[in-house]
Structure formats: structure tokens, C-alpha cells
PDB file of all heavy atoms in Angstrom:
ATOM      1  N   GLU A   1       0.814   8.280 -13.209  1.00 94.00           N
ATOM      2  CA  GLU A   1      -0.110   7.259 -12.909  1.00 94.00           C
ATOM      3  C   GLU A   1       0.170   6.365 -11.795  1.00 94.00           C
ATOM      4  O   GLU A   1      -0.373   5.334 -11.619  1.00 94.00           O
ATOM      5  CB  GLU A   1      -0.338   6.438 -14.241  1.00 94.00           C
ATOM      6  CG  GLU A   1      -0.917   7.177 -15.376  1.00 94.00           C
ATOM      7  CD  GLU A   1      -2.327   7.657 -15.104  1.00 94.00           C
ATOM      8  OE1 GLU A   1      -3.087   6.861 -14.494  1.00 94.00           O
ATOM      9  OE2 GLU A   1      -2.702   8.714 -15.648  1.00 94.00           O
ATOM     10  N   LEU A   2       1.137   6.756 -10.961  1.00 94.00           N
ATOM     11  CA  LEU A   2       1.702   5.926  -9.957  1.00 94.00           C
ATOM     12  C   LEU A   2       0.546   5.330  -9.006  1.00 94.00           C
ATOM     13  O   LEU A   2       0.617   4.217  -8.641  1.00 94.00           O
ATOM     14  CB  LEU A   2       2.757   6.633  -9.079  1.00 94.00           C
ATOM     15  CG  LEU A   2       3.449   5.678  -8.108  1.00 94.00           C
ATOM     16  CD1 LEU A   2       4.228   4.590  -8.750  1.00 94.00           C
ATOM     17  CD2 LEU A   2       4.466   6.467  -7.186  1.00 94.00           C
ATOM     18  N   HIS A   3      -0.385   6.150  -8.679  1.00 95.00           N
ATOM     19  CA  HIS A   3      -1.479   5.702  -7.746  1.00 95.00           C
ATOM     20  C   HIS A   3      -2.216   4.420  -8.375  1.00 95.00           C
ATOM     21  O   HIS A   3      -2.441   3.502  -7.733  1.00 95.00           O
ATOM     22  CB  HIS A   3      -2.519   6.846  -7.474  1.00 95.00           C
ATOM     23  CG  HIS A   3      -3.690   6.409  -6.700  1.00 95.00           C
ATOM     24  ND1 HIS A   3      -3.561   6.140  -5.365  1.00 95.00           N
ATOM     25  CD2 HIS A   3      -5.010   6.211  -7.099  1.00 95.00           C
ATOM     26  CE1 HIS A   3      -4.752   5.784  -4.957  1.00 95.00           C
ATOM     27  NE2 HIS A   3      -5.625   5.803  -5.888  1.00 95.00           N
ATOM     28  N   ASN A   4      -2.488   4.598  -9.647  1.00 95.00           N
ATOM     29  CA  ASN A   4      -3.136   3.434 -10.401  1.00 95.00           C
ATOM     30  C   ASN A   4      -2.172   2.221 -10.530  1.00 95.00           C
ATOM     31  O   ASN A   4      -2.568   1.115 -10.495  1.00 95.00           O
ATOM     32  CB  ASN A   4      -3.718   3.866 -11.677  1.00 95.00           C
ATOM     33  CG  ASN A   4      -4.895   4.782 -11.491  1.00 95.00           C
ATOM     34  OD1 ASN A   4      -5.657   4.677 -10.611  1.00 95.00           O
ATOM     35  ND2 ASN A   4      -5.012   5.778 -12.433  1.00 95.00           N
ATOM     36  N   THR A   5      -0.883   2.605 -10.798  1.00 95.00           N
ATOM     37  CA  THR A   5       0.136   1.560 -10.928  1.00 95.00           C
ATOM     38  C   THR A   5       0.191   0.654  -9.665  1.00 95.00           C
ATOM     39  O   THR A   5       0.149  -0.569  -9.777  1.00 95.00           O
ATOM     40  CB  THR A   5       1.522   2.215 -11.139  1.00 95.00           C
ATOM     41  OG1 THR A   5       1.537   2.945 -12.310  1.00 95.00           O
ATOM     42  CG2 THR A   5       2.620   1.196 -11.078  1.00 95.00           C
ATOM     43  N   MET A   6       0.115   1.342  -8.439  1.00 96.00           N
ATOM     44  CA  MET A   6       0.253   0.579  -7.238  1.00 96.00           C
ATOM     45  C   MET A   6      -0.924  -0.344  -6.971  1.00 96.00           C
ATOM     46  O   MET A   6      -0.845  -1.339  -6.251  1.00 96.00           O
ATOM     47  CB  MET A   6       0.542   1.530  -6.096  1.00 96.00           C
ATOM     48  CG  MET A   6       1.852   2.317  -6.224  1.00 96.00           C
ATOM     49  SD  MET A   6       3.233   1.374  -6.835  1.00 96.00           S
ATOM     50  CE  MET A   6       3.475   0.279  -5.423  1.00 96.00           C
ATOM     51  N   LYS A   7      -2.085   0.002  -7.538  1.00 97.00           N
ATOM     52  CA  LYS A   7      -3.247  -0.829  -7.367  1.00 97.00           C
ATOM     53  C   LYS A   7      -3.000  -2.147  -8.071  1.00 97.00           C
ATOM     54  O   LYS A   7      -3.598  -3.189  -7.653  1.00 97.00           O
ATOM     55  CB  LYS A   7      -4.505  -0.147  -7.918  1.00 97.00           C
ATOM     56  CG  LYS A   7      -4.983   1.006  -6.976  1.00 97.00           C
ATOM     57  CD  LYS A   7      -6.329   1.534  -7.535  1.00 97.00           C
ATOM     58  CE  LYS A   7      -6.840   2.614  -6.584  1.00 97.00           C
ATOM     59  NZ  LYS A   7      -8.141   3.229  -7.077  1.00 97.00           N
ATOM     60  N   THR A   8      -2.233  -2.142  -9.131  1.00 96.00           N
ATOM     61  CA  THR A   8      -1.949  -3.444  -9.835  1.00 96.00           C
ATOM     62  C   THR A   8      -1.019  -4.334  -9.004  1.00 96.00           C
ATOM     63  O   THR A   8      -0.802  -5.509  -9.344  1.00 96.00           O
ATOM     64  CB  THR A   8      -1.348  -3.163 -11.208  1.00 96.00           C
ATOM     65  OG1 THR A   8       0.043  -2.642 -11.094  1.00 96.00           O
ATOM     66  CG2 THR A   8      -2.207  -2.265 -12.035  1.00 96.00           C
ATOM     67  N   HIS A   9      -0.468  -3.769  -7.893  1.00 97.00           N
ATOM     68  CA  HIS A   9       0.358  -4.542  -6.958  1.00 97.00           C
ATOM     69  C   HIS A   9      -0.392  -4.773  -5.725  1.00 97.00           C
ATOM     70  O   HIS A   9       0.240  -5.202  -4.731  1.00 97.00           O
ATOM     71  CB  HIS A   9       1.713  -3.781  -6.672  1.00 97.00           C
ATOM     72  CG  HIS A   9       2.563  -3.609  -7.876  1.00 97.00           C
ATOM     73  ND1 HIS A   9       3.461  -4.544  -8.238  1.00 97.00           N
ATOM     74  CD2 HIS A   9       2.593  -2.657  -8.802  1.00 97.00           C
ATOM     75  CE1 HIS A   9       4.194  -4.168  -9.386  1.00 97.00           C
ATOM     76  NE2 HIS A   9       3.685  -3.090  -9.701  1.00 97.00           N
ATOM     77  N   LEU A  10      -1.694  -4.592  -5.654  1.00 97.00           N
ATOM     78  CA  LEU A  10      -2.539  -4.762  -4.512  1.00 97.00           C
ATOM     79  C   LEU A  10      -2.057  -3.837  -3.333  1.00 97.00           C
ATOM     80  O   LEU A  10      -1.996  -4.237  -2.183  1.00 97.00           O
ATOM     81  CB  LEU A  10      -2.558  -6.195  -4.018  1.00 97.00           C
ATOM     82  CG  LEU A  10      -3.201  -7.157  -5.060  1.00 97.00           C
ATOM     83  CD1 LEU A  10      -3.282  -8.601  -4.505  1.00 97.00           C
ATOM     84  CD2 LEU A  10      -4.672  -6.752  -5.473  1.00 97.00           C
ATOM     85  N   ILE A  11      -1.677  -2.660  -3.744  1.00 97.00           N
ATOM     86  CA  ILE A  11      -1.221  -1.547  -2.758  1.00 97.00           C
ATOM     87  C   ILE A  11      -2.134  -0.342  -3.101  1.00 97.00           C
ATOM     88  O   ILE A  11      -1.880   0.410  -3.981  1.00 97.00           O
ATOM     89  CB  ILE A  11       0.234  -1.246  -2.814  1.00 97.00           C
ATOM     90  CG1 ILE A  11       1.095  -2.474  -2.647  1.00 97.00           C
ATOM     91  CG2 ILE A  11       0.537  -0.099  -1.795  1.00 97.00           C
ATOM     92  CD1 ILE A  11       2.539  -2.247  -2.804  1.00 97.00           C
ATOM     93  N   ASP A  12      -3.344  -0.359  -2.501  1.00 96.00           N
ATOM     94  CA  ASP A  12      -4.383   0.574  -3.046  1.00 96.00           C
ATOM     95  C   ASP A  12      -4.133   2.087  -2.682  1.00 96.00           C
ATOM     96  O   ASP A  12      -4.549   2.929  -3.369  1.00 96.00           O
ATOM     97  CB  ASP A  12      -5.760   0.161  -2.440  1.00 96.00           C
ATOM     98  CG  ASP A  12      -6.201  -1.181  -3.139  1.00 96.00           C
ATOM     99  OD1 ASP A  12      -5.602  -1.613  -4.150  1.00 96.00           O
ATOM    100  OD2 ASP A  12      -7.179  -1.733  -2.596  1.00 96.00           O
ATOM    101  N   ASP A  13      -3.551   2.287  -1.527  1.00 95.00           N
ATOM    102  CA  ASP A  13      -3.330   3.691  -1.033  1.00 95.00           C
ATOM    103  C   ASP A  13      -2.078   3.757  -0.233  1.00 95.00           C
ATOM    104  O   ASP A  13      -1.979   3.165   0.873  1.00 95.00           O
ATOM    105  CB  ASP A  13      -4.587   4.009  -0.135  1.00 95.00           C
ATOM    106  CG  ASP A  13      -4.516   5.516   0.342  1.00 95.00           C
ATOM    107  OD1 ASP A  13      -3.457   5.935   0.717  1.00 95.00           O
ATOM    108  OD2 ASP A  13      -5.597   6.153   0.296  1.00 95.00           O
ATOM    109  N   MET A  14      -1.026   4.404  -0.788  1.00 95.00           N
ATOM    110  CA  MET A  14       0.252   4.357  -0.155  1.00 95.00           C
ATOM    111  C   MET A  14       0.270   5.046   1.153  1.00 95.00           C
ATOM    112  O   MET A  14       1.110   4.710   2.028  1.00 95.00           O
ATOM    113  CB  MET A  14       1.308   4.879  -1.149  1.00 95.00           C
ATOM    114  CG  MET A  14       1.621   3.978  -2.307  1.00 95.00           C
ATOM    115  SD  MET A  14       3.007   4.456  -3.262  1.00 95.00           S
ATOM    116  CE  MET A  14       2.370   5.703  -4.246  1.00 95.00           C
ATOM    117  N   GLU A  15      -0.657   6.038   1.405  1.00 96.00           N
ATOM    118  CA  GLU A  15      -0.693   6.655   2.769  1.00 96.00           C
ATOM    119  C   GLU A  15      -1.243   5.667   3.709  1.00 96.00           C
ATOM    120  O   GLU A  15      -0.686   5.434   4.796  1.00 96.00           O
ATOM    121  CB  GLU A  15      -1.540   7.851   2.590  1.00 96.00           C
ATOM    122  CG  GLU A  15      -1.660   8.648   3.903  1.00 96.00           C
ATOM    123  CD  GLU A  15      -0.351   9.288   4.396  1.00 96.00           C
ATOM    124  OE1 GLU A  15       0.405   9.837   3.586  1.00 96.00           O
ATOM    125  OE2 GLU A  15      -0.064   9.146   5.609  1.00 96.00           O
ATOM    126  N   LEU A  16      -2.425   5.060   3.370  1.00 97.00           N
ATOM    127  CA  LEU A  16      -3.119   4.173   4.233  1.00 97.00           C
ATOM    128  C   LEU A  16      -2.266   2.919   4.499  1.00 97.00           C
ATOM    129  O   LEU A  16      -2.365   2.315   5.562  1.00 97.00           O
ATOM    130  CB  LEU A  16      -4.449   3.841   3.575  1.00 97.00           C
ATOM    131  CG  LEU A  16      -5.358   2.886   4.404  1.00 97.00           C
ATOM    132  CD1 LEU A  16      -5.808   3.624   5.706  1.00 97.00           C
ATOM    133  CD2 LEU A  16      -6.621   2.442   3.685  1.00 97.00           C
ATOM    134  N   TYR A  17      -1.477   2.506   3.533  1.00 97.00           N
ATOM    135  CA  TYR A  17      -0.628   1.299   3.523  1.00 97.00           C
ATOM    136  C   TYR A  17       0.697   1.519   4.284  1.00 97.00           C
ATOM    137  O   TYR A  17       1.517   0.625   4.387  1.00 97.00           O
ATOM    138  CB  TYR A  17      -0.431   0.672   2.242  1.00 97.00           C
ATOM    139  CG  TYR A  17      -1.577  -0.164   1.712  1.00 97.00           C
ATOM    140  CD1 TYR A  17      -2.867   0.336   1.670  1.00 97.00           C
ATOM    141  CD2 TYR A  17      -1.441  -1.483   1.284  1.00 97.00           C
ATOM    142  CE1 TYR A  17      -3.879  -0.410   1.169  1.00 97.00           C
ATOM    143  CE2 TYR A  17      -2.463  -2.214   0.757  1.00 97.00           C
ATOM    144  CZ  TYR A  17      -3.755  -1.663   0.778  1.00 97.00           C
ATOM    145  OH  TYR A  17      -4.811  -2.435   0.274  1.00 97.00           O
ATOM    146  N   GLY A  18       0.884   2.743   4.814  1.00 96.00           N
ATOM    147  CA  GLY A  18       2.129   3.036   5.555  1.00 96.00           C
ATOM    148  C   GLY A  18       3.343   3.189   4.661  1.00 96.00           C
ATOM    149  O   GLY A  18       4.509   3.257   5.217  1.00 96.00           O
ATOM    150  N   VAL A  19       3.173   3.415   3.372  1.00 96.00           N
ATOM    151  CA  VAL A  19       4.411   3.582   2.487  1.00 96.00           C
ATOM    152  C   VAL A  19       5.053   4.842   2.806  1.00 96.00           C
ATOM    153  O   VAL A  19       6.351   4.910   2.990  1.00 96.00           O
ATOM    154  CB  VAL A  19       3.946   3.446   0.999  1.00 96.00           C
ATOM    155  CG1 VAL A  19       5.193   3.677   0.108  1.00 96.00           C
ATOM    156  CG2 VAL A  19       3.393   2.033   0.684  1.00 96.00           C
ATOM    157  N   TRP A  20       4.289   5.965   2.764  1.00 95.00           N
ATOM    158  CA  TRP A  20       5.017   7.278   2.922  1.00 95.00           C
ATOM    159  C   TRP A  20       5.636   7.453   4.277  1.00 95.00           C
ATOM    160  O   TRP A  20       6.574   8.030   4.493  1.00 95.00           O
ATOM    161  CB  TRP A  20       4.000   8.376   2.668  1.00 95.00           C
ATOM    162  CG  TRP A  20       3.460   8.465   1.259  1.00 95.00           C
ATOM    163  CD1 TRP A  20       2.134   8.518   0.893  1.00 95.00           C
ATOM    164  CD2 TRP A  20       4.136   8.412   0.031  1.00 95.00           C
ATOM    165  NE1 TRP A  20       1.926   8.461  -0.402  1.00 95.00           N
ATOM    166  CE2 TRP A  20       3.251   8.427  -1.002  1.00 95.00           C
ATOM    167  CE3 TRP A  20       5.483   8.281  -0.284  1.00 95.00           C
ATOM    168  CZ2 TRP A  20       3.575   8.388  -2.363  1.00 95.00           C
ATOM    169  CZ3 TRP A  20       5.851   8.271  -1.653  1.00 95.00           C
ATOM    170  CH2 TRP A  20       4.953   8.301  -2.640  1.00 95.00           C
ATOM    171  N   GLY A  21       5.028   6.809   5.298  1.00 95.00           N
ATOM    172  CA  GLY A  21       5.557   6.851   6.633  1.00 95.00           C
ATOM    173  C   GLY A  21       6.589   5.711   6.919  1.00 95.00           C
ATOM    174  O   GLY A  21       7.118   5.644   8.093  1.00 95.00           O
ATOM    175  N   ASN A  22       6.842   4.899   5.964  1.00 96.00           N
ATOM    176  CA  ASN A  22       7.850   3.744   6.094  1.00 96.00           C
ATOM    177  C   ASN A  22       7.465   2.839   7.274  1.00 96.00           C
ATOM    178  O   ASN A  22       8.350   2.413   8.016  1.00 96.00           O
ATOM    179  CB  ASN A  22       9.237   4.294   6.264  1.00 96.00           C
ATOM    180  CG  ASN A  22       9.709   5.147   5.069  1.00 96.00           C
ATOM    181  OD1 ASN A  22       9.423   4.741   3.887  1.00 96.00           O
ATOM    182  ND2 ASN A  22      10.338   6.199   5.355  1.00 96.00           N
ATOM    183  N   ASN A  23       6.149   2.577   7.429  1.00 96.00           N
ATOM    184  CA  ASN A  23       5.717   1.811   8.508  1.00 96.00           C
ATOM    185  C   ASN A  23       5.490   0.388   8.000  1.00 96.00           C
ATOM    186  O   ASN A  23       4.464   0.040   7.363  1.00 96.00           O
ATOM    187  CB  ASN A  23       4.383   2.378   9.060  1.00 96.00           C
ATOM    188  CG  ASN A  23       3.981   1.668  10.354  1.00 96.00           C
ATOM    189  OD1 ASN A  23       4.101   0.430  10.507  1.00 96.00           O
ATOM    190  ND2 ASN A  23       3.478   2.462  11.328  1.00 96.00           N
ATOM    191  N   TYR A  24       6.484  -0.531   8.239  1.00 96.00           N
ATOM    192  CA  TYR A  24       6.476  -1.877   7.721  1.00 96.00           C
ATOM    193  C   TYR A  24       5.283  -2.711   8.241  1.00 96.00           C
ATOM    194  O   TYR A  24       4.658  -3.417   7.514  1.00 96.00           O
ATOM    195  CB  TYR A  24       7.781  -2.542   8.081  1.00 96.00           C
ATOM    196  CG  TYR A  24       7.941  -3.940   7.411  1.00 96.00           C
ATOM    197  CD1 TYR A  24       7.924  -4.070   6.044  1.00 96.00           C
ATOM    198  CD2 TYR A  24       8.049  -5.052   8.221  1.00 96.00           C
ATOM    199  CE1 TYR A  24       8.068  -5.360   5.482  1.00 96.00           C
ATOM    200  CE2 TYR A  24       8.159  -6.359   7.691  1.00 96.00           C
ATOM    201  CZ  TYR A  24       8.163  -6.485   6.250  1.00 96.00           C
ATOM    202  OH  TYR A  24       8.230  -7.736   5.718  1.00 96.00           O
ATOM    203  N   GLU A  25       4.993  -2.608   9.580  1.00 96.00           N
ATOM    204  CA  GLU A  25       3.946  -3.447  10.144  1.00 96.00           C
ATOM    205  C   GLU A  25       2.580  -3.033   9.519  1.00 96.00           C
ATOM    206  O   GLU A  25       1.739  -3.962   9.304  1.00 96.00           O
ATOM    207  CB  GLU A  25       3.943  -3.231  11.714  1.00 96.00           C
ATOM    208  CG  GLU A  25       5.132  -3.727  12.422  1.00 96.00           C
ATOM    209  CD  GLU A  25       5.028  -5.172  12.800  1.00 96.00           C
ATOM    210  OE1 GLU A  25       3.951  -5.806  12.639  1.00 96.00           O
ATOM    211  OE2 GLU A  25       6.030  -5.740  13.342  1.00 96.00           O
ATOM    212  N   THR A  26       2.387  -1.756   9.379  1.00 97.00           N
ATOM    213  CA  THR A  26       1.109  -1.285   8.779  1.00 97.00           C
ATOM    214  C   THR A  26       1.009  -1.806   7.292  1.00 97.00           C
ATOM    215  O   THR A  26      -0.066  -2.298   6.899  1.00 97.00           O
ATOM    216  CB  THR A  26       1.022   0.231   8.793  1.00 97.00           C
ATOM    217  OG1 THR A  26       1.009   0.734  10.116  1.00 97.00           O
ATOM    218  CG2 THR A  26      -0.221   0.749   8.052  1.00 97.00           C
ATOM    219  N   PHE A  27       2.096  -1.726   6.573  1.00 97.00           N
ATOM    220  CA  PHE A  27       2.155  -2.230   5.150  1.00 97.00           C
ATOM    221  C   PHE A  27       1.692  -3.609   5.061  1.00 97.00           C
ATOM    222  O   PHE A  27       0.839  -3.994   4.297  1.00 97.00           O
ATOM    223  CB  PHE A  27       3.503  -1.963   4.516  1.00 97.00           C
ATOM    224  CG  PHE A  27       3.630  -2.515   3.157  1.00 97.00           C
ATOM    225  CD1 PHE A  27       3.137  -1.881   2.128  1.00 97.00           C
ATOM    226  CD2 PHE A  27       4.251  -3.759   2.964  1.00 97.00           C
ATOM    227  CE1 PHE A  27       3.194  -2.363   0.850  1.00 97.00           C
ATOM    228  CE2 PHE A  27       4.366  -4.310   1.673  1.00 97.00           C
ATOM    229  CZ  PHE A  27       3.843  -3.575   0.623  1.00 97.00           C
ATOM    230  N   ILE A  28       2.353  -4.490   5.911  1.00 97.00           N
ATOM    231  CA  ILE A  28       2.112  -5.939   5.903  1.00 97.00           C
ATOM    232  C   ILE A  28       0.625  -6.157   6.313  1.00 97.00           C
ATOM    233  O   ILE A  28      -0.095  -7.047   5.684  1.00 97.00           O
ATOM    234  CB  ILE A  28       2.957  -6.675   6.779  1.00 97.00           C
ATOM    235  CG1 ILE A  28       4.408  -6.585   6.358  1.00 97.00           C
ATOM    236  CG2 ILE A  28       2.573  -8.122   6.983  1.00 97.00           C
ATOM    237  CD1 ILE A  28       4.685  -7.283   4.991  1.00 97.00           C
ATOM    238  N   GLU A  29       0.162  -5.482   7.293  1.00 97.00           N
ATOM    239  CA  GLU A  29      -1.266  -5.684   7.749  1.00 97.00           C
ATOM    240  C   GLU A  29      -2.260  -5.416   6.607  1.00 97.00           C
ATOM    241  O   GLU A  29      -3.149  -6.112   6.367  1.00 97.00           O
ATOM    242  CB  GLU A  29      -1.539  -4.843   9.017  1.00 97.00           C
ATOM    243  CG  GLU A  29      -2.938  -4.913   9.520  1.00 97.00           C
ATOM    244  CD  GLU A  29      -3.057  -6.102  10.584  1.00 97.00           C
ATOM    245  OE1 GLU A  29      -1.962  -6.562  10.935  1.00 97.00           O
ATOM    246  OE2 GLU A  29      -4.195  -6.505  10.880  1.00 97.00           O
ATOM    247  N   LYS A  30      -2.077  -4.100   6.016  1.00 97.00           N
ATOM    248  CA  LYS A  30      -3.089  -3.683   5.090  1.00 97.00           C
ATOM    249  C   LYS A  30      -2.918  -4.493   3.731  1.00 97.00           C
ATOM    250  O   LYS A  30      -4.000  -4.790   3.124  1.00 97.00           O
ATOM    251  CB  LYS A  30      -2.891  -2.202   4.768  1.00 97.00           C
ATOM    252  CG  LYS A  30      -3.000  -1.258   5.942  1.00 97.00           C
ATOM    253  CD  LYS A  30      -4.366  -1.489   6.655  1.00 97.00           C
ATOM    254  CE  LYS A  30      -5.546  -0.964   5.798  1.00 97.00           C
ATOM    255  NZ  LYS A  30      -6.766  -1.008   6.576  1.00 97.00           N
ATOM    256  N   ARG A  31      -1.763  -4.785   3.326  1.00 98.00           N
ATOM    257  CA  ARG A  31      -1.645  -5.534   2.059  1.00 98.00           C
ATOM    258  C   ARG A  31      -2.154  -7.003   2.320  1.00 98.00           C
ATOM    259  O   ARG A  31      -2.712  -7.608   1.381  1.00 98.00           O
ATOM    260  CB  ARG A  31      -0.220  -5.603   1.538  1.00 98.00           C
ATOM    261  CG  ARG A  31      -0.119  -6.044   0.132  1.00 98.00           C
ATOM    262  CD  ARG A  31       1.287  -5.920  -0.444  1.00 98.00           C
ATOM    263  NE  ARG A  31       1.318  -6.180  -1.894  1.00 98.00           N
ATOM    264  CZ  ARG A  31       2.154  -6.905  -2.518  1.00 98.00           C
ATOM    265  NH1 ARG A  31       3.060  -7.514  -1.877  1.00 98.00           N
ATOM    266  NH2 ARG A  31       2.136  -6.996  -3.834  1.00 98.00           N
ATOM    267  N   GLY A  32      -1.905  -7.512   3.443  1.00 97.00           N
ATOM    268  CA  GLY A  32      -2.416  -8.858   3.843  1.00 97.00           C
ATOM    269  C   GLY A  32      -3.967  -8.915   3.774  1.00 97.00           C
ATOM    270  O   GLY A  32      -4.571  -9.843   3.214  1.00 97.00           O
ATOM    271  N   GLU A  33      -4.661  -7.811   4.246  1.00 97.00           N
ATOM    272  CA  GLU A  33      -6.103  -7.810   4.194  1.00 97.00           C
ATOM    273  C   GLU A  33      -6.526  -7.712   2.803  1.00 97.00           C
ATOM    274  O   GLU A  33      -7.523  -8.358   2.424  1.00 97.00           O
ATOM    275  CB  GLU A  33      -6.595  -6.446   4.949  1.00 97.00           C
ATOM    276  CG  GLU A  33      -6.385  -6.587   6.458  1.00 97.00           C
ATOM    277  CD  GLU A  33      -6.746  -5.241   7.158  1.00 97.00           C
ATOM    278  OE1 GLU A  33      -7.061  -4.263   6.405  1.00 97.00           O
ATOM    279  OE2 GLU A  33      -6.695  -5.204   8.385  1.00 97.00           O
ATOM    280  N   ARG A  34      -5.780  -7.075   1.908  1.00 97.00           N
ATOM    281  CA  ARG A  34      -6.226  -6.878   0.516  1.00 97.00           C
ATOM    282  C   ARG A  34      -6.025  -8.174  -0.242  1.00 97.00           C
ATOM    283  O   ARG A  34      -6.864  -8.663  -0.981  1.00 97.00           O
ATOM    284  CB  ARG A  34      -5.321  -5.846  -0.178  1.00 97.00           C
ATOM    285  CG  ARG A  34      -5.695  -5.600  -1.627  1.00 97.00           C
ATOM    286  CD  ARG A  34      -6.930  -4.798  -1.736  1.00 97.00           C
ATOM    287  NE  ARG A  34      -7.185  -4.518  -3.147  1.00 97.00           N
ATOM    288  CZ  ARG A  34      -7.905  -5.358  -3.927  1.00 97.00           C
ATOM    289  NH1 ARG A  34      -8.391  -6.499  -3.427  1.00 97.00           N
ATOM    290  NH2 ARG A  34      -8.149  -5.040  -5.178  1.00 97.00           N
TER     291      ARG A  34
END
């Protein structure tokens, strides 16, 4: 259920949020928008 788990942390899509690519700037930008 990890995909739904991460939504409870306001991380809706780990690909879009740069998690799988380890892209820190993208992660901060997308989580900030959320």
C-alpha cells in the first residue's frame, strides 16, 4: 500500500515528485505546491 501510504505524507506520486530519480529540487517544488 506504499502509494497510498505516501499520500498521507503529502507525497502523491513518487515518480512525479522526483523520489525515484533522487531529484531533491523537484521533490521540494512538488511537495511545496501540495
Side-chain angles (χ1 to χ4, degrees):
E1 296 291 324
L2 185 63
H3 176 70
N4 291 326
T5 297
M6 299 315 294
K7 286 185 176 181
T8 69
H9 294 273
L10 297 181
I11 302 171
D12 290 349
D13 184 317
M14 287 193 283
E15 181 68 41
L16 184 64
Y17 279 52
V19 175
W20 298 130
N22 299 319
N23 190 320
Y24 184 63
E25 295 272 353
T26 298
F27 175 79
I28 293 297
E29 182 85 15
K30 300 305 290 184
R31 197 173 190 224
E33 290 173 357
R34 182 74 179 87

